[in-house]
Each structure stands twice: as structure tokens, then as C-alpha cells.
Amino acid sequence: MLSPRIDPRGPDLTSEVVVVDYDAGNLRSVRRALEHAGARAIVSDDPGVVAGARALVLPGVGAAADTMAKLRQRGLVEPLLEVIASGRPFLGVCMGMQALFELSEEGGEHPCLGVLPGRVVRFETGAPVPHMGWNTLDVVSAHPLLAGIPSGAHVYFVHSYYPVPGDPAIVVAETEYGERFASVVARGNVLATQFHPEKSGRTGLRIYENFVTLARSATGTAAGGAAR
């Protein structure tokens, strides 16, 4: 059984945001960005800590099959779904965004969490893959996660696959890379970015600040209601 790795600086109940640890990289930089935004954040792979989180961030790099396998091995799938169903704020980042959809075509077809309708597909435009580096956001729907962030803001991407949402209404921002793809999605309490806010300078920090604000404003069962 894998032992939990919990930030030793204080009791779990004092944290505002839990960053889910499944050996996906970027964990410490995500936590630092949240702390810069003023949050009390911890990194944990303990299912109980995840299930009890006030708000969750699921970061990630790598392939869908490995991501889902590691989440299952650590007993994290049900706690993640429990938090989402309860209406507590949830932010998926890069692979953490892709994992929210029904199916990924990366390395075959792999079922994901199935929280959002749609599938994850590979870039097939002739542009270099992976899509790596700075690119711009085209905001198509106002959302508090992007408060203060205009269309044209630059953010940092590293990915070869991207989600194709089954419901266009969940798309908040798009990015052009040979073709347009959804780079920010939101439905109820579930928010996600295909880029890495923690690598995206002031724009990325503002996104984490906005997420922390949403998390703090959440009362009862949801911040804006559970994803349906």
C-alpha cells in the first residue's frame, strides 16, 4: 500500500486547497502558486484528505492511461468524484483537465473520469507536436476564473492532446494552434485549464487567485452548484 505524503506544516483541516498527488509532477510549483495567491495549500495522496478537502486542484503531465492507473492505485478516483459531486470547487490543470472527460485517445482509447462530456484527441494539423510554449487565450464566455484576464493574454502550454467537449456551452476560452481548441472549460464547480497557470507568469497567478476567491466564497454544498 502506498503511504500518504502530506505536508507536515500543519493539520490538514487548516488547508483551504488540497493539491492531489499521484506522481504527476508540478505539485510543488502548483502549491507555491496557490500560496502566492494567499491560500493555505497542501499536497496529499491520502484519500481521506482528498475526500475532505474544501477545494481541490488536480494537476498533471503525462498520458491518460498512466494518470488513471495511478489514481486508481492510490484509491483517489472515488474521493475526487465525491468532491466534485458535493459541489466543492475543483480545478483541473493540463492532464488534470483531460482526465475530467469521458475518453482519451492517447495510446488507444482509455476511459477517464467521465465528469464532463467529450473525448481527448491528438493534434493532427501539421503543426509541431507537442504544442509547447506561450500562446494566447480567446475568451469566449465570461467566467469568474478569468476575472481580470482579457482575450489575448499569454499562457504556457505543454501538450500533444486536447479535449473536444461534447457540450460547447462549457467552453470558456479557446486557443489557436493549427486549429481552435478548448483551453479553459467550466461547468458548475468544475473548472479546468489545458495550459499550466503555475508556469504562466502574472496571468497564471491571477487565475489561481481567482480560484482561491471562488473557493472561499463557496458555501453550503457548492460554489455555483455541482457539475451536472
Side-chain angles (χ1 to χ4, degrees):
M1 180 175 178
L2 295 168
S3 59
R5 286 173 286 174
I6 302 173
D7 192 315
R9 295 175 299 169
D12 300 331
L13 292 178
T14 66
S15 65
E16 293 179 296
V17 183
V18 173
V19 180
V20 182
D21 179 2
Y22 62 101
D23 283 339
N26 287 343
L27 298 171
R28 278 27 182 202
S29 57
V30 172
R31 188 187 72 184
R32 285 195 297 269
L34 287 163
E35 290 173 338
H36 188 277
R40 297 186 302 276
I42 63 169
V43 173
S44 180
D45 66 355
D46 185 297
V49 173
V50 171
R54 298 177 185 177
L56 276 185
V57 176
L58 180 67
V61 295
D66 289 344
T67 293
M68 294 307 302
K70 288 177 180 178
L71 290 175
R72 286 192 292 268
Q73 289 166 5
R74 294 177 182 233
L76 293 171
V77 171
E78 289 306 316
L80 288 173
L81 294 176
E82 178 183 332
V83 169
I84 290 170
S86 75
R88 282 169 279 172
F90 181 100
L91 177 65
V93 172
C94 197
M95 186 61 232
M97 175 187 188
Q98 295 180 14
L100 290 168
F101 288 85
E102 295 167 301
L103 185 75
S104 174
E105 297 181 0
E106 187 171 6
E109 291 194 346
H110 303 283
C112 295
L113 294 173
V115 173
L116 299 175
R119 60 199 293 127
V120 176
V121 303
R122 194 177 192 274
F123 283 110
E124 298 290 353
T125 64
V129 176
H131 171 211
M132 182 166 60
W134 295 89
N135 207 334
T136 55
L137 296 178
D138 178 10
V139 179
V140 298
S141 178
H143 192 280
L145 185 66
L146 297 185
I149 297 172
S151 284
H154 284 77
V155 291
Y156 191 84
F157 292 87
V158 183
H159 64 123
S160 301
Y161 289 75
Y162 64 93
V164 180
D167 178 7
I170 71 174
V171 179
V172 173
E174 296 178 334
T175 295
E176 180 78 29
Y177 189 68
E179 60 186 293
R180 289 173 70 82
F181 66 92
S183 47
V184 182
V185 297
R187 188 172 70 177
N189 56 306
V190 176
L191 319 170
T193 69
Q194 180 58 72
F195 55 90
H196 290 273
E198 69 279 1
K199 295 182 177 180
S200 299
R202 291 184 179 179
T203 296
L205 290 175
R206 179 61 187 267
I207 288 172
Y208 279 120
E209 289 169 4
N210 290 340
F211 179 70
V212 171
T213 297
L214 289 170
R216 288 176 175 170
S217 67
T219 58
T221 60
R228 303 182 212 275

